[in-house]
Amino acid sequence: MSSATSRVAQARPAPTGEPATTAEAGAAAAAPGQAATETASAAGGNLTSDGGLPPGGAPRLAADYSSYRVVAAKHPWRWVGTAVVALGVLAVAWSLATNPRWEWGVVAQWFTAQSVVNGLVETLKLTAISGILGFVLGFILALMRLSASPLLVSVSWTFSWIFRSTPLLVQLLLWYNLGYLYEKISLGIPFTDVRFFEVQTTTLISQFAAAVLGLTLNQAAYSAEIIRGGILSVDQGQLEAAAALGIPTWRRSTRIVLPQAMRAILPTAFNEIIGLVKGTSIVYVLAYSELFYTVQVIYNRTQQVLPLLLVATLWYVVITSVLSVFQYYIERHYSKGAVRNLPLTPLQKARKFFATHAVTNRKSL
């Protein structure tokens, strides 16, 4: 008999009528895990999935892992990196709090001033109007680019090429000075003298109209490419399957293609909207009273340049932060068909964190 088999025999309880010796009982009680391991070794490792023996095998002792200690993995460099970044953040915060030249009192004074709030409203108005019109026009241009008509494809491509190739500042100045090129704007039957509507260009193209026109057309050129890329990202096999099932073209586009394309469109589209919010600041060249122009007027009068620039900066941060929250939840909504389990929201993550640590603390007590 092998030595392993002998040790197993010693670990087993004595048969009926044969009392175990003191040495054998002590060995069995002192090392139950070792006895179970040696038993498994003697059997050749032929254990079932639940740790037992195959049918007909002799009963064996179960391994006892209660005395094992769980040791967490150590990440020393992670803690080093965290400490370095924390020190950097504290240094920046200390500088912002203790340097008097930031003039936080002046920032607080002008942050909610009526003139600044009025400029903020105009910025939001420009963003909303130009964003909505830009994406609607961009959607139309994307469909034109994907059509089978060579004329529609050429017009869409030329539009995007022109407006993506010229700076936004140049476009704004061009629209504002359109009256120099065309004295009157009229609507009628082409190549005839019939006119239904006619107005002076300088009357029609005001500062606000020039700003909206420039921002909308520039945004439409970029939106068209974003939407076209999102539509092309959808597998064509799904359209073929939907067509084979007899689903109408409109329902194929709105219920199959668009929901899947939105997952590719949304991140870039929100980046464009955030860029549009900040891009409205360039309208100051038209002397339109949006947020940045209003701040410029104030600091030219008070000579408090840096605090007023901080006021504008903080308002832009607030706007983009709100848009980022909307982006997160809208992307989460459209990710339902792409992931098996939706990612936790920040509130759900906080609840899970506190619930987990509360259970851990109760167990430790």
Side-chain angles (χ1 to χ4, degrees):
M1 182 179 296
S2 64
S3 59
T5 307
S6 302
R7 288 195 297 270
V8 170
Q10 294 175 1
R12 292 179 181 173
T16 307
E18 297 180 10
T21 62
T22 304
E24 291 173 347
Q34 180 182 359
T37 305
E38 293 172 352
T39 302
S41 302
N46 296 325
L47 298 178
T48 59
S49 58
D50 59 353
L53 287 173
R60 298 185 178 136
L61 298 177
D64 182 13
Y65 299 106
S66 60
S67 61
Y68 284 32
R69 185 168 60 91
V70 178
V71 180
K74 299 182 183 302
H75 303 281
W77 289 110
R78 180 189 300 175
W79 288 104
V80 171
T82 302
V84 171
V85 173
L87 288 175
V89 171
L90 289 175
V92 172
W94 179 259
S95 174
L96 293 175
T98 58
N99 190 343
R101 295 185 180 181
W102 288 104
E103 300 183 71
W104 292 109
V106 178
V107 174
Q109 174 188 350
W110 288 104
F111 189 73
T112 55
Q114 187 61 44
S115 57
V116 174
V117 173
N118 292 339
L120 174 65
V121 171
E122 295 302 319
T123 294
L124 295 176
K125 186 191 301 183
L126 285 175
T127 302
I129 296 175
S130 302
I132 293 173
L133 294 179
F135 274 94
V136 170
L137 181 57
F139 181 73
I140 296 173
L141 290 170
L143 295 181
M144 291 171 59
R145 185 74 181 275
L146 295 172
S147 70
S149 171
L151 178 60
L152 295 179
V153 173
S154 300
V155 171
S156 176
W157 182 87
T158 304
F159 181 94
S160 298
W161 171 59
I162 291 175
F163 284 94
R164 290 194 302 164
S165 302
T166 54
L168 178 57
L169 178 61
V170 174
Q171 297 176 31
L172 291 172
L173 293 175
L174 178 64
W175 292 118
Y176 189 60
N177 294 281
L178 190 63
Y180 177 78
L181 299 174
Y182 301 97
E183 183 179 351
K184 295 181 180 180
I185 296 178
S186 60
L187 178 64
I189 299 176
F191 311 111
T192 66
D193 294 332
V194 179
R195 297 289 182 269
F196 304 120
F197 173 80
E198 189 174 72
V199 67
Q200 291 287 334
T201 303
T202 54
T203 304
L204 183 63
I205 306 297
S206 61
Q207 296 167 321
F208 178 75
V212 170
L213 196 57
L215 292 172
T216 297
L217 296 179
N218 184 77
Q219 186 62 55
Y222 289 94
S223 302
E225 294 302 303
I226 293 171
I227 295 172
R228 185 176 69 90
I231 293 174
L232 291 177
S233 68
V234 180
D235 186 14
Q236 293 298 311
Q238 300 192 34
L239 289 176
E240 296 172 0
L245 293 173
I247 300 176
T249 304
W250 176 252
R251 289 183 63 83
R252 292 202 302 265
S253 301
T254 57
R255 303 303 297 270
I256 296 176
V257 176
L258 192 58
Q260 297 181 76
M262 289 295 286
R263 292 197 292 267
I265 292 172
L266 280 174
T268 313
F270 266 97
N271 284 341
E272 285 296 317
I273 295 175
I274 291 173
L276 181 61
V277 172
K278 297 178 290 184
T280 56
S281 61
I282 205 172
V283 179
Y284 82 94
V285 298
L286 306 179
Y288 184 72
S289 301
E290 46 79 42
L291 178 60
F292 186 66
Y293 180 78
T294 303
V295 165
Q296 278 189 316
V297 171
I298 295 173
Y299 73 61
N300 284 333
R301 187 176 70 248
T302 64
Q303 299 302 312
Q304 296 170 324
V305 179
L306 187 59
L308 269 301
L309 288 177
L310 280 176
V311 169
T313 301
L314 291 176
W315 274 121
Y316 285 126
V317 169
V318 170
I319 297 171
T320 55
S321 300
V322 173
L323 289 174
S324 299
V325 173
F326 279 105
Q327 176 184 356
Y328 174 82
Y329 283 98
I330 294 175
E331 287 184 3
R332 186 174 183 271
H333 171 75
Y334 279 101
S335 66
K336 291 179 180 178
V339 296
R340 192 175 300 274
N341 297 316
L342 290 177
L344 298 178
T345 64
L347 182 59
Q348 291 172 339
K349 289 180 180 178
R351 290 176 178 174
K352 181 179 179 181
F353 175 82
F354 288 113
T356 304
H357 283 69
V359 171
T360 304
N361 292 334
R362 284 199 298 268
K363 286 183 178 180
S364 61
L365 293 177

